[in-house]
Amino acid sequence: MTIDITEKQFLDLVALGLNDIPVPESLYQEKNWRAIYDIAKKQAMIGVIYDAIKKIPTECRPAGELAIKWYGQAIVINRLNNTLNSKVKEIAGAYRDAGLDVVLLKGQGLAQYYPNPLSRQPGDIDLYFFDSYDKANEIAAGWEGVEFLPDTSYHRAFIYKGIEVENHLVYVDFYSKKNKKAWSEIEEKIPLAGDEHLTLDGFCIKVPQPQMNVIYVFLHSMHHMLQVGIGLRQICDWACLWKSKHKEVDKELFSYCIEKLRIGRPISAMAYIAEEYLGLEKGIIPLDTSAKRTIKDGDMIMRDILDSGNFGHDTKIMKGFQRNRHMKNIKSYFLAFARQLKLLRIYPSEVMAYPREWIRQKIKGEG
């Protein structure tokens, strides 16, 4: 992949922010800090790179107004994380008091695996309730000020005190019927939750156990990758999870999941990105990332991430997109289908099923 010096420095800063490694040589060179800041903002990596900046010599850091702005944004991210943590406690606590078994997906549950959890750019709150999905939505409807958003086939979202919450009917969604069946078999072997928790000021909430989480986080990223794209933060989440929890992952069971879901090619490409660009030690993810095809796939995905922004926000697909306004989104849908063709060779089972399932969902009005 061809990347310019600014992109190289940006990626080296991300790796430095996530790992205890020597300062990369590129960070001693002259830098366009304004351009690096813009990429970091586009990729939701302001906080992680601020942590990296504190590790490089003072003379190599940004200065003046930009330094103040960067510091200010890092403080904002820190506070947003604290706010979201308090809302997780409040909402999950209310559900628990109502007798529901709740699991926190992604988000703050993954932030705990970062070197500095408060530096991860926070998002919304994703919750899963096993067989109590309808009950969870009924309970939320009774809270003051709750504003529900249009339903989708896999979750119901609402705004609570300025925070978006997604109650998930399913936590993994596939387009391919064969993949759905395979996933059902995997769920029978690997429970979603176990002893793994996120602890917030003494309050504990379940998060996916590592054996499931390393597969789930990847699948969630690929689901968005096929639609409009992902940002670097999603792969950072996966890399930090692996770095923190790799000793708790059974390699044979991990390989079984890969073979069952036919994801060897895309998951190897993502592992390559984690190692090559994010500083993850080789061997932590039990996959061979040295094959030419894997390197080519990984570089293609990395290029797409740099060009598309966080969750594809800088693509033509997302510009002008209006949620659940299907006729006004025709252009975006055609662009999304064209995107599928680029990814066909990497994940054919899902790409080939995508148009059929998408049309079925729109006809049924599932979002």
Side-chain angles (χ1 to χ4, degrees):
M1 178 182 69
T2 302
I3 60 173
D4 61 32
I5 183 58
T6 299
E7 291 170 333
K8 165 68 173 168
Q9 290 167 335
F10 162 74
L11 291 169
D12 283 347
L13 283 162
V14 173
L16 182 61
L18 295 179
N19 302 283
D20 184 16
I21 58 175
V23 176
E25 185 63 32
S26 75
L27 300 182
Y28 290 102
Q29 301 172 17
E30 184 178 350
K31 292 172 286 296
N32 183 340
W33 278 113
R34 170 59 64 179
I36 293 173
Y37 178 88
D38 289 342
I39 300 173
K41 185 176 181 181
K42 178 178 175 179
Q43 295 292 337
M45 298 302 296
I46 291 287
V48 169
I49 290 189
Y50 183 74
D51 288 342
I53 288 171
K54 292 185 290 185
K55 296 180 179 181
I56 64 178
T58 303
E59 64 272 17
C60 297
R61 301 176 185 178
E65 182 181 339
L66 182 60
I68 296 172
K69 182 178 181 179
W70 214 312
Y71 170 75
Q73 286 300 304
I75 294 298
V76 168
I77 290 168
N78 186 291
R79 290 175 178 170
L80 286 173
N81 273 298
N82 282 320
T83 297
L84 204 63
N85 286 339
S86 69
K87 291 297 182 290
V88 168
K89 289 172 57 181
E90 180 180 347
I91 293 168
Y95 279 132
R96 185 179 297 172
D97 290 344
L100 272 61
D101 190 8
V102 57
V103 179
L104 177 67
L105 306 172
K106 302 177 293 172
Q108 302 307 97
L110 291 173
Q112 67 178 315
Y113 304 127
Y114 277 62
N116 182 357
L118 296 180
S119 290
R120 180 188 182 273
Q121 182 77 43
D124 53 17
I125 298 173
D126 295 86
L127 303 171
Y128 182 71
F129 301 91
F130 300 97
D131 57 355
S132 300
Y133 172 74
D134 291 333
K135 182 64 176 177
N137 290 327
E138 289 175 13
I139 291 170
W143 296 338
E144 184 178 353
V146 165
E147 175 190 349
F148 278 96
L149 302 174
D151 288 357
T152 73
S153 60
Y154 48 88
H155 68 57
R156 192 171 195 201
F158 59 90
I159 305 299
Y160 176 77
K161 296 183 179 180
I163 302 294
E164 183 169 341
V165 182
E166 292 182 356
N167 288 345
H168 284 255
L169 174 63
V170 296
Y171 59 97
V172 171
D173 195 26
F174 292 97
Y175 301 117
S176 163
K177 289 182 179 180
K178 189 171 182 180
N179 286 342
K180 289 181 188 227
K181 183 176 183 297
W183 182 249
S184 296
E185 295 176 17
I186 287 171
E187 285 185 300
E188 292 178 1
K189 283 182 171 288
I190 309 173
L192 172 64
D195 295 330
E196 195 76 3
H197 290 78
L198 169 67
T199 302
L200 301 168
D201 296 328
F203 177 86
C204 292
I205 180 172
K206 292 179 182 178
V207 299
Q209 51 118 336
Q211 189 77 50
M212 175 59 83
N213 219 7
V214 293
I215 293 292
Y216 163 61
V217 173
F218 165 77
L219 291 172
H220 177 261
S221 296
M222 282 307 301
H223 183 76
H224 285 284
M225 182 74 189
L226 292 177
Q227 291 182 324
V228 294
I230 56 172
L232 196 63
R233 183 184 62 173
Q234 281 64 54
I235 304 187
C236 289
D237 286 349
W238 198 57
C240 289
L241 169 63
W242 269 109
K243 184 177 180 180
S244 179
K245 294 293 176 178
H246 67 98
K247 293 181 180 178
E248 298 176 38
V249 177
D250 183 287
K251 294 180 181 179
E252 289 187 8
L253 196 50
F254 177 64
S255 296
Y256 163 82
C257 294
I258 291 174
E259 183 176 350
K260 195 75 178 173
L261 294 168
R262 300 172 290 174
I263 55 173
R265 187 163 178 177
I267 201 169
S268 295
M270 191 174 288
Y272 164 79
I273 293 172
E275 294 172 357
E276 180 69 16
Y277 297 108
L278 304 183
L280 185 67
E281 182 183 343
K282 290 183 183 297
I284 283 182
I285 303 176
L287 291 167
D288 179 11
T289 58
S290 63
K292 289 183 179 179
R293 186 177 72 173
T294 297
I295 294 170
K296 183 178 180 180
D297 290 345
D299 284 344
M300 185 273 287
I301 293 174
M302 186 74 254
R303 183 71 264 165
D304 183 77
I305 289 171
L306 290 172
D307 292 340
S308 301
N310 192 44
F311 281 128
H313 286 169
D314 292 320
T315 63
K316 292 180 180 179
I317 297 173
M318 292 302 294
K319 289 179 180 178
F321 182 85
Q322 298 181 47
R323 195 172 186 175
N324 279 358
R325 298 295 297 276
H326 303 313
M327 293 308 296
K328 292 190 175 183
N329 293 328
I330 292 296
K331 181 179 179 181
S332 292
Y333 294 146
F334 274 109
L335 289 171
F337 289 147
R339 177 182 179 83
Q340 303 293 304
L341 297 178
K342 291 172 54 181
L343 299 167
L344 178 62
R345 72 176 189 270
I346 294 179
Y347 201 0
S349 65
E350 281 296 285
V351 171
M352 292 176 69
Y354 177 81
R356 180 182 64 251
E357 181 65 13
W358 180 87
I359 291 171
R360 185 194 67 80
Q361 289 183 9
K362 300 313 170 195
I363 291 174
K364 292 182 65 176
E366 294 179 342

